[in-house]
Coordinates of all heavy atoms in Angstrom, one line a residue:
L226 N 3.3 -26.6 -43.7 CA 2.9 -27.8 -42.8 C 4.2 -28.5 -42.3 O 4.2 -28.8 -41.1 CB 2.0 -28.7 -43.6 CG 1.6 -30.0 -42.8 CD1 0.8 -29.6 -41.6 CD2 0.8 -30.9 -43.7
L227 N 5.2 -28.6 -43.1 CA 6.4 -29.3 -42.7 C 7.1 -28.4 -41.6 O 7.6 -29.0 -40.6 CB 7.4 -29.5 -43.9 CG 8.7 -30.1 -43.6 CD1 8.5 -31.5 -43.0 CD2 9.6 -30.2 -44.8
S228 N 7.0 -27.1 -41.7 CA 7.6 -26.3 -40.7 C 6.9 -26.4 -39.3 O 7.5 -26.6 -38.3 CB 7.5 -24.8 -41.1 OG 7.9 -23.9 -40.1
L229 N 5.6 -26.6 -39.3 CA 4.8 -26.8 -38.1 C 5.1 -28.1 -37.5 O 5.3 -28.2 -36.3 CB 3.3 -26.6 -38.4 CG 2.8 -25.2 -38.7 CD1 1.4 -25.2 -39.1 CD2 3.0 -24.3 -37.5
I230 N 5.1 -29.2 -38.3 CA 5.3 -30.5 -37.8 C 6.8 -30.6 -37.3 O 7.0 -31.2 -36.2 CB 5.1 -31.5 -38.9 CG1 3.6 -31.6 -39.2 CG2 5.6 -32.9 -38.5 CD1 3.2 -32.5 -40.4
S231 N 7.7 -30.0 -38.0 CA 9.1 -30.0 -37.5 C 9.2 -29.3 -36.1 O 10.0 -29.8 -35.3 CB 10.0 -29.3 -38.5 OG 10.0 -30.0 -39.8
S232 N 8.5 -28.2 -35.9 CA 8.6 -27.5 -34.6 C 8.1 -28.4 -33.5 O 8.6 -28.4 -32.4 CB 7.8 -26.2 -34.7 OG 6.4 -26.5 -34.8
V233 N 7.1 -29.3 -33.8 CA 6.6 -30.2 -32.8 C 7.6 -31.3 -32.5 O 7.9 -31.6 -31.4 CB 5.2 -30.8 -33.3 CG1 4.8 -31.9 -32.3 CG2 4.1 -29.8 -33.4
L234 N 8.2 -31.8 -33.6 CA 9.2 -32.9 -33.4 C 10.4 -32.4 -32.6 O 11.0 -33.1 -31.8 CB 9.6 -33.4 -34.7 CG 8.6 -34.4 -35.4 CD1 9.0 -34.7 -36.8 CD2 8.5 -35.7 -34.6
L235 N 10.9 -31.2 -33.0 CA 12.1 -30.6 -32.3 C 11.8 -30.3 -30.8 O 12.8 -30.2 -30.0 CB 12.6 -29.4 -33.0 CG 13.1 -29.6 -34.5 CD1 13.4 -28.2 -35.1 CD2 14.3 -30.5 -34.5
A236 N 10.6 -30.2 -30.5 CA 10.2 -29.9 -29.0 C 10.2 -31.2 -28.2 O 10.1 -31.1 -27.0 CB 8.9 -29.3 -28.9
Q237 N 10.4 -32.4 -28.8 CA 10.4 -33.7 -28.1 C 11.6 -34.0 -27.4 O 11.7 -35.0 -26.6 CB 9.9 -34.8 -29.0 CG 8.6 -34.5 -29.8 CD 7.5 -34.1 -28.8 OE1 7.3 -34.8 -27.8 NE2 6.9 -33.0 -29.2
G238 N 12.7 -33.3 -27.7 CA 14.0 -33.6 -26.9 C 14.9 -34.6 -27.6 O 15.8 -35.1 -26.9
N239 N 14.7 -34.9 -28.8 CA 15.7 -35.8 -29.6 C 15.8 -37.2 -28.9 O 16.9 -37.7 -28.9 CB 17.0 -35.1 -29.7 CG 17.8 -35.6 -30.9 OD1 17.3 -36.1 -31.8 ND2 19.1 -35.6 -30.8
K240 N 14.7 -37.7 -28.4 CA 14.7 -39.0 -27.8 C 14.9 -40.1 -28.9 O 15.6 -41.1 -28.6 CB 13.5 -39.3 -27.0 CG 13.3 -38.4 -25.8 CD 12.0 -38.7 -25.1 CE 11.8 -37.9 -23.8 NZ 10.6 -38.2 -23.1
R241 N 14.4 -39.9 -30.0 CA 14.5 -40.9 -31.1 C 15.0 -40.3 -32.4 O 14.6 -40.6 -33.5 CB 13.1 -41.5 -31.4 CG 12.5 -42.2 -30.2 CD 11.1 -42.8 -30.5 NE 10.1 -41.8 -30.8 CZ 8.9 -42.0 -31.2 NH1 8.5 -43.3 -31.4 NH2 8.0 -41.1 -31.4
D242 N 16.1 -39.5 -32.2 CA 16.8 -38.9 -33.4 C 15.8 -38.0 -34.2 O 15.9 -38.0 -35.4 CB 17.4 -40.0 -34.3 CG 18.7 -40.6 -33.6 OD1 19.2 -39.9 -32.8 OD2 19.0 -41.7 -34.0
E243 N 14.9 -37.4 -33.5 CA 14.0 -36.5 -34.2 C 14.7 -35.4 -34.9 O 14.4 -35.0 -36.1 CB 12.9 -35.9 -33.3 CG 11.9 -36.9 -32.7 CD 12.3 -37.5 -31.4 OE1 13.5 -37.3 -31.1 OE2 11.5 -38.1 -30.8
V244 N 15.8 -34.8 -34.3 CA 16.5 -33.7 -34.9 C 17.2 -34.2 -36.2 O 17.1 -33.5 -37.2 CB 17.6 -33.2 -33.9 CG1 18.4 -32.1 -34.6 CG2 16.9 -32.7 -32.7
R245 N 17.8 -35.3 -36.2 CA 18.4 -35.9 -37.4 C 17.4 -36.1 -38.5 O 17.6 -35.7 -39.7 CB 19.1 -37.2 -37.1 CG 19.9 -37.8 -38.3 CD 20.4 -39.1 -38.0 NE 19.4 -40.1 -37.6 CZ 18.7 -40.8 -38.6 NH1 19.0 -40.6 -39.8 NH2 17.8 -41.6 -38.2
D246 N 16.2 -36.6 -38.2 CA 15.2 -36.9 -39.2 C 14.7 -35.6 -39.8 O 14.5 -35.5 -41.0 CB 14.0 -37.7 -38.6 CG 14.5 -39.1 -38.1 OD1 15.5 -39.5 -38.6 OD2 13.8 -39.6 -37.2
V247 N 14.5 -34.6 -38.9 CA 14.0 -33.3 -39.4 C 15.0 -32.7 -40.3 O 14.7 -32.1 -41.4 CB 13.6 -32.4 -38.3 CG1 13.4 -31.0 -38.8 CG2 12.4 -32.9 -37.5
G248 N 16.3 -32.7 -39.9 CA 17.4 -32.1 -40.7 C 17.5 -32.7 -42.1 O 17.7 -32.0 -43.1
L249 N 17.4 -34.1 -42.1 CA 17.5 -34.7 -43.4 C 16.4 -34.4 -44.4 O 16.5 -34.2 -45.6 CB 17.6 -36.3 -43.2 CG 18.8 -36.8 -42.5 CD1 18.7 -38.3 -42.2 CD2 20.1 -36.5 -43.3
R250 N 15.2 -34.3 -43.8 CA 14.0 -34.0 -44.6 C 14.0 -32.6 -45.1 O 13.8 -32.3 -46.3 CB 12.7 -34.2 -43.8 CG 11.4 -33.9 -44.6 CD 11.3 -34.8 -45.8 NE 10.1 -34.5 -46.6 CZ 10.0 -34.8 -47.9 NH1 10.9 -35.6 -48.5 NH2 8.9 -34.5 -48.5
V251 N 14.5 -31.6 -44.3 CA 14.5 -30.2 -44.7 C 15.6 -30.0 -45.7 O 15.3 -29.4 -46.7 CB 14.8 -29.3 -43.4 CG1 15.1 -27.9 -43.9 CG2 13.6 -29.3 -42.5
T252 N 16.7 -30.6 -45.6 CA 17.8 -30.5 -46.6 C 17.4 -31.1 -47.9 O 17.7 -30.6 -49.0 CB 19.1 -31.1 -46.1 OG1 18.9 -32.5 -45.7 CG2 19.7 -30.3 -44.9

Side-chain angles (χ1 to χ4, degrees):
L226 178 58
L227 180 59
S228 173
L229 290 173
I230 293 176
S231 298
S232 69
V233 174
L234 283 170
L235 294 178
Q237 304 310 310
N239 203 25
K240 293 181 178 179
R241 295 183 295 174
D242 285 338
E243 290 90 349
V244 176
R245 182 185 63 83
D246 295 340
V247 169
L249 293 175
R250 180 58 184 165
V251 168
T252 52

